[in-house]
Amino acid sequence: MVLILDFGSQYTQLITRRVRQLGVLSLCVSGTAPLSSLTGLRPRAVILSGGPHSVHASGAPSFPEGFLDFAAEAGAHVLGVCYGMQLLVQSLGGAVEAGERQEYGDTEVEITATSSALYGESGVGNRQSVWMSHGDEVVRLPQGFEVVARSVQGAIAAIEHREKRFYGLQYHPEVTHSTQGKETLRRFLFDVCGIKADWKIQDVLDEQIKTIKSMVGTDEHVICALSGGVDSTVAATLVHNVIGDRLHCVFVDNGLLRYKEKERVMSTFNSDLHLPVTCIDASEQFLSKLKGVKDPEMKRKIVGKEFIAVFDEFAHMLEQQTGKRPEYLVQGTLYPDVIESCPPPGSGMTHSHTIKSHHNVGGLPEDMKLKLIEPLKLLFKDEVRKLGSILNIPESFLR
């Protein structure tokens, strides 16, 4: 597994995606998460993300104390990207200063080493186009490091310490503007770290089936929040395959739907997906609570709270029918929902700003009674579509 420590870069999700696209499991956690939360994950490689801060700023985020020793003992390779490289250099005794050559956007870098781990036998003088975004720059390397590439303006662009398994890129290899960035990540993962490309979406399905079986008792009933979109439909189909008709899908008309959306959704579920769905008209309930509210963030939190209220009421009704109160709520929460709704996974983070609260994450009330089953919460949208294909959901629906 590859662990990405997030220091607040807008591109951190892209690093996670690029690694997965190369067939390697990757997880994104807070860069300031306690060391104890990292050690159990046993990563083969750790990538330190970029971030908007200067390493010299008061309160600038840093990896937990003891991280470098942990990486050394675990035999993990560490790659610092942009801010991550500067943090690595400063932590190991090098120097980072405000750059005379601040570089933003499309930039050319030139290979300066005849042979390097990150670029192979590329040859001195070979150039490639990369995406830079930095105000500070490395001006003195820690002992044992080598410069293997510089920008055409002279700034250090790539460094290596092969013996200690430390590497750094001042640019962002994860964005498409870095034309050979994906190849550099491929070389780092496979040639440098020796990782095998053996992670597949089928692995996720197998793992989630095991998890659901272990969570849900053989006589327990489960509610699923269906929106009519791809994510909740894939989540519902997956859970339905495991527990059958003990899954009770609920589609809520919250008064905010598009014209004829309720009819279209219910028809699709009945004719194409064969999922048992109950439609609840809660439009008056939602609209009355939203009346007069103008702040978008507050609206999202109200919507999240009212959804849970509807599901709690439905759970009470099911309890009267079946004699057993449902304990769980299935949601089609995705990885970007989690990352965007709060300081990314590994809470306690203060350096990454909330992009927006998704009603199914940041909008959930603290006192909700139902426990969550979120089989997709570590997946991106394209991965969910692949999972849906494995589950034989019609391609026309997935697209």
Side-chain angles (χ1 to χ4, degrees):
M1 188 184 70
V2 175
L3 201 58
I4 289 90
L5 296 194
D6 179 15
F7 294 105
S9 168
Q10 60 185 319
Y11 302 132
T12 302
Q13 287 189 44
L14 275 179
I15 303 176
T16 314
R17 286 175 60 86
R18 295 290 178 255
V19 173
R20 291 185 184 190
Q21 287 168 357
L22 290 168
V24 178
L25 174 61
S26 61
L27 289 180
C28 172
V29 301
S30 165
T32 57
L35 188 63
S36 58
S37 68
L38 308 182
T39 51
L41 296 173
R42 299 173 60 196
R44 189 71 174 272
V46 180
I47 299 178
L48 312 176
S49 87
H53 297 266
S54 165
V55 292
H56 300 297
S58 175
S62 181
F63 40 67
E65 187 175 346
F67 166 74
L68 294 176
D69 291 334
F70 153 71
E73 291 167 10
H77 297 75
V78 179
L79 172 64
V81 172
C82 197
Y83 176 86
M85 179 179 104
Q86 295 172 4
L87 183 61
L88 187 63
V89 166
Q90 186 189 56
S91 301
L92 292 169
V96 178
E97 294 179 359
E100 296 177 9
R101 301 170 289 267
Q102 297 182 346
E103 297 172 317
Y104 295 96
D106 197 24
T107 308
E108 277 201 325
V109 299
E110 186 173 298
I111 312 300
T112 58
T114 53
S115 174
S116 79
L118 294 174
Y119 301 114
E121 307 295 330
S122 292
V124 175
N126 283 354
R127 292 186 176 188
Q128 53 182 264
S129 182
V130 302
W131 192 257
M132 290 283 195
S133 180
H134 67 100
D136 292 348
E137 65 175 283
V138 173
V139 294
R140 189 184 74 249
L141 292 179
Q143 187 174 357
F145 275 82
E146 176 190 7
V147 176
V148 295
R150 288 183 180 271
S151 74
V152 290
Q153 295 188 78
I156 294 174
I159 59 175
E160 299 177 356
H161 191 319
R162 298 196 210 185
E163 186 181 342
K164 293 284 184 69
R165 296 185 293 273
F166 292 139
Y167 306 86
L169 296 170
Q170 184 57 72
Y171 60 90
H172 290 274
E174 68 274 22
V175 303
T176 53
H177 300 74
S178 295
T179 54
Q180 296 180 52
K182 193 170 182 179
E183 179 57 35
T184 302
L185 286 175
R186 183 196 305 275
R187 183 178 289 279
F188 172 71
L189 295 173
F190 303 144
D191 298 347
V192 176
C193 304
I195 295 173
K196 293 181 180 178
D198 59 2
W199 180 75
K200 305 177 295 297
I201 293 297
Q202 181 67 48
D203 298 339
V204 177
L205 177 59
D206 296 342
E207 186 66 31
Q208 286 304 319
I209 289 172
K210 287 181 191 174
T211 300
I212 293 163
K213 283 181 177 178
S214 66
M215 287 177 70
V216 181
T218 54
D219 62 342
E220 287 189 297
H221 291 256
V222 175
I223 295 172
C224 178
L226 269 183
S227 69
V230 173
D231 310 330
S232 61
T233 301
V234 172
T237 304
L238 196 165
V239 177
H240 188 259
N241 283 1
V242 179
I243 68 172
D245 289 340
R246 290 184 291 124
L247 177 71
H248 304 271
C249 298
V250 181
F251 177 76
V252 179
D253 181 353
N254 58 7
L256 306 171
L257 302 178
R258 287 166 289 215
Y259 180 67
K260 295 289 186 182
E261 185 172 6
K262 175 170 67 174
E263 291 81 359
R264 179 188 62 80
V265 167
M266 293 301 293
S267 172
T268 300
F269 282 126
N270 289 328
S271 62
D272 297 342
L273 300 171
H274 311 296
L275 286 172
V277 185
T278 299
C279 181
I280 297 177
D281 186 349
S283 52
E284 288 300 317
Q285 176 180 335
F286 276 80
L287 293 175
S288 63
K289 291 290 174 67
L290 290 167
K291 187 175 181 180
V293 180
K294 295 183 178 179
D295 177 51
E297 185 71 2
M298 182 60 68
K299 286 182 182 180
R300 283 188 279 266
K301 290 185 180 295
I302 290 172
V303 168
K305 184 177 181 181
E306 291 311 307
F307 268 124
I308 297 302
V310 170
F311 298 138
D312 278 337
E313 190 175 327
F314 183 73
H316 179 68
M317 184 191 74
L318 273 181
E319 183 180 16
Q320 293 178 323
Q321 293 177 358
T322 64
K324 190 147 182 119
R325 183 177 178 84
E327 294 282 329
Y328 295 98
L329 173 67
V330 177
Q331 290 194 148
T333 309
L334 301 192
Y335 209 9
D337 298 343
V338 176
I339 294 173
E340 291 171 6
S341 289
C342 54
S347 56
M349 218 164 107
T350 57
H351 56 270
S352 183
H353 298 161
T354 297
I355 297 173
K356 71 172 185 178
S357 290
H358 290 255
H359 65 262
N360 56 343
V361 184
L364 296 179
E366 294 180 5
D367 60 347
M368 66 178 284
K369 303 179 184 69
L370 293 163
K371 292 175 279 189
L372 293 177
I373 295 176
E374 298 174 302
L376 314 178
K377 72 177 181 180
L378 292 179
L379 297 181
F380 293 98
K381 177 74 81 174
D382 56 322
E383 295 169 335
V384 172
R385 288 195 169 104
K386 290 176 184 175
L387 185 59
S389 292
I390 296 174
L391 291 167
N392 294 317
I393 295 174
E395 198 68 20
S396 59
F397 186 89
L398 293 176
R399 294 293 164 191

